[in-house]
Amino acid sequence: MARAFLIVIDSVGIGGAPDADQFFNGQLPDTGANTVGHIARDVGLNVPTLEALGLGAAVKLASGEAAVGLDATPTGAWGAATEISRGKDTPSGHWELAGVPVPWDWHVFPDADPAFPPELTALICELAGTEGILGNRHASGTAVLDEEGEAHLRTGWPICYTSADSVLQIAAHEEAFGLERLIKLCHDLAPAVHDMRVGRVIARPFLGEVGNFKRTANRKDFAIAPPSPTICDYVHDARRTVHAVGKIGDIFSMRGIDDLRKGRDAALMGHIHDLADAAADGDFVFANLVEFDSEYGHRRDAAGYRDHLQWFDGELAALLPKLKPDDLLIVTADHGNDPTWAGTDHTRERVPVLVHGLGARALGQLQFVDVAATVAAHLNVPYAGQGKSFL
């Protein structure tokens, strides 16, 4: 049994989704998107630890195309997982990895100006105590600060924006608007937004002055609770400890979570290292590292994405020797975000499933839900969710 570690490297897709033609960035379909493959092709990629676990082999399995330079023979267990939920977003991917495919179609706000219906805008104003909002359109989270930050400081109105994902994001200055006020606004707004089948309301606090605004690490997601038990619930109900690292607690509305650790990716890796040293037998560590997606995928920064993958690879190399002989470590992703692709939205892709603790094995084509079933089987906890263990 020992422990189970599940690390989601957010948006690190490997192409090949069979329904990519049904998902779009602007007017262009996601057909052919391949986050890892295109980074390796365009800017080079040196990730020997991930490659040894089977990343290159997984890319070829998923997309049918070899990733440039990732041709080592795997010494880990590897496969490629396909999502069935009708989304390419954080809740869909994580819920399904946790054993619960999304049973509905998410509502997405139109790419129009304004994007939000008048009654929703009125509710935001009422809750915020303002006469209006800024933004009210599809926007990049960093660009919208440059575009609306000065008006935000002048008027005190919150900056509200969305994207091709099922999300409503609200940005506000931590000092001028107030961090607690922003968190409360998003908390109070979330039930009405969830009733619309919008997956998340996200508080996006920032600091700085005009021309130099920077988002802080105090982001908070208010997501719809999963409609049925997830792997977190099953492990928790078996009286084991579930450690959530990163935004996992937000994604699962803290259900089935015993211990929460947050921060930016460097701090989150520190938490994972600490848990490798200290977590007890039977514990489950569920982590999300978001900056692949938020800092590099959406910004279409292929070189930055490569550098972050190479940083993670070094951290992973230092983590593996800390694991106990009976530990299981799974590295996977929740969707794609090809930094070479059109638009700035997520891309519909298969994801890698890279496993330390099973020896060298080809796992083949998998489903997202197989990850949850495998964690349950490894920890020997009762599990009634979907999926088939690949142990």
Side-chain angles (χ1 to χ4, degrees):
M1 178 176 62
R3 294 94 54 90
F5 294 77
L6 174 56
I7 302 177
V8 179
I9 44 179
D10 201 299
S11 84
V12 183
I14 53 175
D19 56 359
D21 61 328
Q22 300 173 36
F23 295 81
F24 291 83
N25 266 269
Q27 301 301 312
L28 297 177
D30 288 340
T31 307
N34 188 332
T35 300
V36 172
H38 289 164
I39 290 171
R41 179 197 67 190
D42 288 6
V43 295
L45 186 58
N46 181 25
V47 285
T49 307
L50 287 166
E51 189 179 354
L53 286 177
L55 179 60
V59 172
K60 188 170 184 180
L61 175 65
S63 66
E65 298 181 6
V68 176
L70 302 184
D71 52 7
T73 300
T75 57
W78 56 274
T82 303
E83 183 176 12
I84 62 173
S85 299
R86 293 288 303 166
K88 51 174 181 174
D89 52 74
T90 293
S92 297
H94 282 79
W95 288 6
E96 194 164 326
L97 288 169
V100 182
V102 179
W104 55 68
D105 287 335
W106 296 109
H107 176 73
V108 176
F109 294 109
D111 190 359
D113 192 354
F116 306 126
E119 59 274 17
L120 180 58
T121 300
L123 178 59
I124 297 171
C125 293
E126 177 185 343
L127 294 173
T130 59
E131 296 181 357
I133 65 173
L134 300 167
N136 204 346
R137 62 182 181 272
H138 282 223
S140 160
T142 51
V144 79
L145 299 186
D146 295 331
E147 296 162 358
E148 303 287 0
E150 185 277 331
H152 170 69
L153 292 179
R154 175 169 41 83
T155 65
W157 295 2
I159 303 170
C160 304
Y161 61 101
T162 187
S163 68
D165 293 335
S166 181
V167 65
L168 194 165
Q169 306 200 58
I170 304 181
H173 197 279
E174 284 195 3
E175 295 173 349
F177 187 89
L179 177 59
E180 290 185 5
R181 181 184 173 197
L182 172 62
I183 298 298
K184 185 177 188 305
L185 167 60
C186 294
H187 171 273
D188 293 347
L189 180 66
V193 176
H194 293 165
D195 286 345
M196 301 170 67
R197 289 292 188 236
V198 174
R200 289 178 294 165
V201 177
I202 304 178
R204 285 290 199 174
F206 65 94
L207 286 170
E209 301 174 348
V210 175
N212 188 34
F213 292 124
K214 299 290 184 183
R215 296 195 296 198
T216 74
N218 292 319
R219 161 184 173 157
K220 185 168 180 59
D221 295 41
F222 295 90
I224 296 178
S228 59
T230 73
I231 185 61
C232 300
D233 297 304
Y234 291 113
V235 176
H236 172 81
D237 291 347
R239 300 183 182 276
R240 314 288 177 75
T241 300
V242 178
H243 304 273
V245 180
K247 61 181 184 177
I248 296 299
D250 294 335
I251 295 168
F252 293 97
S253 301
M254 286 302 295
R255 208 176 71 196
I257 306 295
D258 299 294
D259 170 42
L260 177 64
R261 305 178 186 213
K262 301 192 76 172
R264 294 183 65 85
D265 279 5
L268 298 179
M269 276 306 311
H271 293 315
I272 296 170
H273 284 292
D274 291 343
L275 287 165
D277 292 330
D281 282 357
D283 283 7
F284 175 39
V285 178
F286 193 174
N288 169 280
L289 301 178
V290 72
E291 290 174 21
F292 302 95
D293 184 58
S294 62
E295 299 296 319
Y296 309 109
H298 286 299
R299 298 184 188 188
R300 294 302 186 250
D301 180 358
Y305 207 128
R306 172 203 60 202
D307 294 346
H308 206 56
L309 278 168
Q310 293 178 171
W311 162 80
F312 173 70
D313 193 76
E315 292 289 335
L316 189 60
L319 176 67
L320 294 183
K322 297 183 176 183
L323 300 181
K324 298 179 180 181
D326 292 332
D327 283 346
L328 183 75
L329 169 72
I330 302 173
V331 177
T332 187
D334 53 343
H335 51 73
N337 200 347
D338 188 339
T340 74
W341 210 243
T344 60
D345 296 322
H346 297 152
T347 43
R348 178 74 165 183
E349 302 179 42
R350 287 184 167 121
V351 301
V353 178
L354 311 177
V355 186
H356 172 83
L358 296 182
R361 290 175 52 189
L363 301 173
Q365 295 283 4
L366 305 168
Q367 301 294 320
F368 276 38
V369 288
D370 296 342
V371 172
T374 300
V375 169
H378 176 73
L379 294 178
N380 193 27
V381 299
Y383 178 72
Q386 298 189 38
K388 180 181 179 180
S389 169
F390 46 76
L391 294 183

